[in-house]
């Protein structure tokens, strides 16, 4: 118990004290992408709960056939009620659905978000992507407007049910993101529903052979290494915080912030190289 509390406090301090050390970007933007009910908004709510000190629901989440989130939303997290803004922005999107009825966000819109062209609160049109002709389109985005880490959100208990059309979209986004030099991670949610051992004891998450095999399978399906994947359980039905849930959520955020930091370092190196060659 004491060891776990120490780990949580160390994670909290590292996140609170984070600085980008990049003049043009004060805080990194982290984009969550996943299908309906995957747990994108719930992850933000879980993060918010950890720093607030009690379970809170800010981003709309829940059970639905199609996406609850119709708009592009950017969220900041406060360090406690009335506290300062923490040094990261979570970006939430409409669900990346299967092709049925074309109700999900379009891949073109996701790429526009990553490039910084889409403003906060923009309402997605599942029939047509945003274009330069839209008055809300950000023509010349700054580095601060762009996304610095992309995170696929996948349910651990539905890995075997991932649709081929959905996988195709994931792989298309991955290829685009890799070409842009932006880090890509995977958030594996609902781990407690996938493994009975973990359901009984959340601390068994890294010892569960079944969960490890599922995560490895997912990595092969998406074409990403296991080291880029973070298992979490979001707050859903709980009314009180749980130390083990908090640690997993904070470790996932730590990985995202560190990945964004690597993105900034890479941009600096490219900038230096370009100046040397000019």
């Amino acid at each position: 118990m004491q060891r776990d509390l120490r780990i949580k406090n160390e994670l909290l301090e590292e996140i609170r004290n984070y600085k980008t050390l990049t003049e043009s970007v004060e805080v990194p933007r982290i984009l969550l992408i996943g299908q309906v009910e995957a747990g994108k908004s719930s992850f933000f709510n879980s993060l918010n709960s950890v720093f607030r000190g009690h379970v809170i629901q800010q981003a709309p989440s829940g059970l639905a056939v199609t996406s609850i989130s119709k708009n592009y939303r950017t969220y900041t997290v406060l360090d406690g009620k009335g506290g300062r803004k923490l040094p990261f922005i979570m970006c939430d999107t409409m669900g990346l659905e299967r092709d049925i009825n074309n109700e999900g966000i379009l891949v073109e819109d996701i790429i526009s978000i990553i490039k910084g062209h889409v403003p906060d609160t923009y309402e997605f049109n599942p029939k047509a992507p945003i274009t330069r002709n839209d008055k809300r389109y950000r023509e010349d985005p700054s580095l601060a407007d762009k996304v610095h880490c992309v995170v696929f959100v996948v349910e651990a208990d539905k890995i075997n049910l991932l649709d081929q059309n959905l996988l195709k979209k994931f792989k298309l986004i991955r290829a685009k993101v890799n070409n842009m030099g932006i880090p890509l991670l995977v958030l594996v949610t609902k781990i407690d529903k996938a493994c009975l051992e973990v359901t009984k004891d959340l601390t068994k998450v890294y010892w569960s052979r079944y969960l490890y095999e599922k995560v490895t399978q997912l990595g092969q399906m998406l074409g990403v290494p296991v080291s880029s994947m973070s298992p979490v359980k979001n707050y859903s039905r709980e009314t009180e915080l749980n130390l083990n849930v908090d640690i997993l959520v904070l470790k996932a955020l730590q990985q995202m912030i560190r990945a964004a930091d690597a993105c900034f370092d890479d941009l600096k190196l490219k900038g230096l190289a370009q100046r040397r060659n000019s």
Side-chain angles (χ1 to χ4, degrees):
M1 180 71 174
Q2 286 298 321
R3 177 179 173 274
D4 290 342
L5 188 58
R6 176 178 55 79
I7 290 172
K8 176 182 174 179
N9 288 332
E10 288 174 354
L11 287 165
L12 287 170
E13 284 307 301
E14 179 180 335
I15 293 163
R16 284 168 175 150
N17 297 324
Y18 170 76
K19 289 182 175 59
T20 64
L21 301 180
T22 302
E23 291 180 7
S24 54
V25 182
E26 187 175 346
V27 292
R29 287 177 179 258
I30 300 164
L31 175 64
L32 304 178
I33 302 170
Q35 67 183 118
V36 65
E37 297 180 27
K40 303 185 308 298
S41 300
S42 294
F43 178 70
F44 167 76
N45 286 330
S46 297
L47 272 178
N48 208 6
S49 298
V50 175
F51 285 98
R52 186 62 65 94
H54 60 84
V55 177
I56 185 171
Q57 300 291 325
Q58 181 175 341
S61 63
L63 299 176
V65 177
T66 57
S67 286
I68 290 177
S69 305
K70 299 292 184 185
N71 299 74
Y72 173 55
R73 291 305 314 272
T74 59
Y75 294 103
T76 55
V77 177
L78 300 181
D79 191 8
K81 186 176 181 179
R84 68 180 180 87
K85 291 180 181 179
L86 289 160
F88 61 89
I89 294 174
M90 303 300 299
C91 305
D92 190 19
T93 62
M94 188 178 184
L96 187 70
E97 319 298 0
R98 302 179 182 91
D99 286 339
I100 300 171
N101 298 323
N102 291 323
E103 290 298 328
I105 188 173
L106 299 170
V107 171
E108 295 96 324
D109 277 332
I110 289 176
I111 302 307
S112 291
I113 289 170
I114 295 170
K115 291 181 176 180
H117 297 302
V118 181
D120 188 26
T121 72
Y122 172 77
E123 185 173 353
F124 298 108
N125 178 359
K127 306 298 183 184
I130 190 171
T131 67
R132 285 182 169 83
N133 297 325
D134 193 308
K135 63 181 180 180
R136 294 159 294 179
Y137 186 89
R138 192 183 286 124
E139 184 68 42
D140 189 23
S142 67
L143 181 58
D145 295 323
K146 299 177 181 180
V147 167
H148 312 108
C149 177
V150 173
V151 182
F152 287 161
V153 184
V154 181
E155 298 160 278
D157 59 329
K158 295 182 180 176
I159 290 172
N160 288 337
L161 302 177
L162 282 176
D163 183 84
Q164 286 303 313
N165 286 324
L166 190 66
L167 284 173
K168 185 178 179 180
K169 290 181 180 180
F170 272 138
K171 290 175 181 178
L172 180 58
I173 295 166
R174 185 199 68 200
K176 297 277 189 181
V177 167
N178 287 344
N179 286 338
M180 287 186 273
I182 298 169
L184 189 148
L185 304 176
V186 179
L187 189 69
V188 186
T189 62
K190 304 182 184 180
I191 55 174
D192 56 315
K193 291 186 177 181
C195 176
L196 183 60
E197 188 179 11
V198 175
T199 304
K200 294 177 180 177
D201 184 357
L202 207 55
T203 63
K204 302 290 186 185
V205 58
Y206 295 113
W207 305 98
S208 167
R209 183 169 183 81
Y210 176 79
L211 203 56
Y212 176 77
E213 289 174 353
K214 287 280 119 187
V215 168
T216 301
Q217 176 191 359
L218 178 61
Q220 292 170 346
M221 292 167 73
L222 297 178
V224 298
V226 173
S227 59
S228 297
M229 308 170 86
S230 295
V232 296
K233 181 209 175 313
N234 290 325
Y235 285 111
S236 54
R237 296 180 298 273
E238 296 83 0
T239 57
E240 300 293 335
L241 294 182
N242 178 291
L243 185 58
N244 296 317
V245 172
D246 292 354
I247 289 173
L248 289 177
V249 167
L250 289 171
K251 281 189 178 224
L253 177 60
Q254 178 193 52
Q255 188 182 37
M256 294 171 195
I257 289 175
R258 288 179 174 179
D261 224 25
C263 177
F264 296 137
D265 288 343
D266 189 46
L267 288 170
K268 282 183 182 178
L269 289 173
K270 287 178 180 175
L272 287 171
Q274 287 173 357
R275 283 197 290 272
R276 289 194 192 107
N277 295 329
S278 60

